[in-house]
């Protein structure tokens, strides 16, 4: 990038040659990105369905600012970005469909803005294809309308990295040689901080991993742009993670203790190759822990192996076009973003790699555009047909996996809702307390608080739960063939499907409660 003579970072009204000949960002380019974002939003609404219900992690995030249920226990690894993101809806409405529509619209807007940041670094058709590739993955469509952090880390990563490249290379695109070299795109500088803040707001540790190559690259930046970029990046990371750090000292015994607790909850961070676990999760498993069972069909996994090959081709294309940095930097950031989830934890969830997929989408799209733009006209129709056929097959597989994932998830959430209805029938109504198996999500559906005396979500004691049972309805949940907590074994038991509900005797009935 730094040696390019024909790459500019378009700042809207600045004079200078266009970064890509024949590309109009006020017309065709903007329309293409807007169309991709709109189709992504429609796909979420049509395929994920607003009535899917909330998942386990979602109930934790939503309950923090909710008109429906008390706040659930907030474990050490979590950050409050998602809770604040959904607050405009959850603070006054308990409607899950309304929340899904809001998040689908917001995620489409986020994708459009994140892609637009890269204008001038790549042709419009490359960015539109990159957006389509990322937005068509089943995991992207599945998590776009969910109250989960990973998609938003991906959007923040695209914004931060794209704006960083624009600031770094700003002076090389200027036609006016009299403009000082240290005059840079200040809007893009703000984007560096905003993207970093969004990442850290959602998942502070992910933000650090993703930003590592940018921090290393600052050593190669000259002039006043280096301190400006460093300040923007640092301010963004601190602004996003500041609340998480303060909360560590207020509620978790300090930053070191919170990081230690977070590592423990994730099974202990250390050298642990989870590549096979991630492959197993590609079949539609939201959480692969423990990650056992057979690998999914080859057709489901094929794109995962093609992805690095196309990314390498994209880098080769960039080197040949003398715009290496614009491709190498997102590749490096994608790599560091993926490292902890491929090599440092002992389980997998496909959403963990969304930031890596978003950053890889741009060089992959550049490679595909190169393949269908072969100089020999005789081969061009063959290349176009082949790439089109492969992409169509890929899309069919992704949506087949998506359909199964949505059906399975919807069924699980409806099961929680039915259990909540049974609890209401048994007299467990707000204000109330649930403990035991799957107490956190079922408590949200019931409108109750939740408590555990052991495990990662421990936030109560046996004595405290028994005292609570003298004041409000309390129930302990267990698998139908399992055992409840020791203190609840004498409570009246009711079997409902795969769940056994042990309800504490009401105050004044003479029971243990």
């Amino acid at each position: 990038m730094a040696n390019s003579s024909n790459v500019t970072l378009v700042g809207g009204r600045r004079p200078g040659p266009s970064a890509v000949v024949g590309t109009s960002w006020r017309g065709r380019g903007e329309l293409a990105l807007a169309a991709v974002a709109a189709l992504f939003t429609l796909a979420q609404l049509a395929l994920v369905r607003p009535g899917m219900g909330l998942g386990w992690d979602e109930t934790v995030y939503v309950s923090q600012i909710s008109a429906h249920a008390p706040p659930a226990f907030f474990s050490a690894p979590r950050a409050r970005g998602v809770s604040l993101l959904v607050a405009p809806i959850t603070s006054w409405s308990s409607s899950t469909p309304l929340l899904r529509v809001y998040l689908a619209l917001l995620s489409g807007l986020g994708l459009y803005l994140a892609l637009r940041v890269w204008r001038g670094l790549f042709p419009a058709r490359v960015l539109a294809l990159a957006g389509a590739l990322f937005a068509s993955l089943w995991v992207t469509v599945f998590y776009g309308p969910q109250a989960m952090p990973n998609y938003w880390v991906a959007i923040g990563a695209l914004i931060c990295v794209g704006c960083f490249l624009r600031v770094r290379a700003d002076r090389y695109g200027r036609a006016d040689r009299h403009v000082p070299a240290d005059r840079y795109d200040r809007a893009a500088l703000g984007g560096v901080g905003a993207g970093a803040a969004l990442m850290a707001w959602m998942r502070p540790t992910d933000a650090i991993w993703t930003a590592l190559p940018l921090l290393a690259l600052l050593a190669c930046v000259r002039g006043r742009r280096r301190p400006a970029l460093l300040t923007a990046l640092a301010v963004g990371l601190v602004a996003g993670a500041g609340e998480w750090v303060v909360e560590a000292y207020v509620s978790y015994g300090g930053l070191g203790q919170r990081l230690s607790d977070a590592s423990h909850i994730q099974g202990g961070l250390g050298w642990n190759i989870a590549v096979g676990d991630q492959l197993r999760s590609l079949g539609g498993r939201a959480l692969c822990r423990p990650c056992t069972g057979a690998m999914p069909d080859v057709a489901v996994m094929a794109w995962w192996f093609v992805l690095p090959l196309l990314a390498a081709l994209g880098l080769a294309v960039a080197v040949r076009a003398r715009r290496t940095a614009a491709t190498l930097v997102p590749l490096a950031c994608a790599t560091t973003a993926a490292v902890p989830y491929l090599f440092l934890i002992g389980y997998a969830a496909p959403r963990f790699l969304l930031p890596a997929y978003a950053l890889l989408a741009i060089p992959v799209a550049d490679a595909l555009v190169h393949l269908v733009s072969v100089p020999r006209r005789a081969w061009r129709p063959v290349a176009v047909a082949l790439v089109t056929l492969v992409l169509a097959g890929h899309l069919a597989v992704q949506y087949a996996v998506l359909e199964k994932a949505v059906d399975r998830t919807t069924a699980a959430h409806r099961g929680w809702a039915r259990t909540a209805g049974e609890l209401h029938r048994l007299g467990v109504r707000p204000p109330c307390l649930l403990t035991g198996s799957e107490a956190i999500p079922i408590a949200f559906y019931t409108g109750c608080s939740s408590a555990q005396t052991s495990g990662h979500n421990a936030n109560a004691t046996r004595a405290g739960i028994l005292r609570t049972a003298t004041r409000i309805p309390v129930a302990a949940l267990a698998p139908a063939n399992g055992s409840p907590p020791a203190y609840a074994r004498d409570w009246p038991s009711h079997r409902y499907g795969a769940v056994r509900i042990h309800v504490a005797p009401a105050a004044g009935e003479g029971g243990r409660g």
Side-chain angles (χ1 to χ4, degrees), residues 483-511:
S483 299
Y487 56 81
R489 288 174 183 170
D490 294 338
W491 294 356
S493 175
H494 311 268
R495 179 165 179 172
Y496 183 76
V499 180
R500 187 167 292 278
I501 304 171
H502 300 260
V503 182
E509 291 186 4

Side-chain angles (χ1 to χ4, degrees), residues 31-49:
L31 182 61
L33 299 188
V36 168
L39 290 173
F40 174 52
T41 298
L42 292 175
Q44 295 174 67
L45 296 175
L47 301 175
V48 180
R49 300 191 292 270

Side-chain angles (χ1 to χ4, degrees), residues 162-185:
C163 287
F164 185 97
L165 288 169
R166 288 178 60 180
V167 175
R168 177 182 178 273
D170 187 51
R171 69 187 177 99
Y172 294 106
R174 296 183 181 276
D176 187 352
R177 296 180 181 271
H178 299 290
V179 175
D182 287 318
R183 289 281 298 280
Y184 37 74
D185 188 336

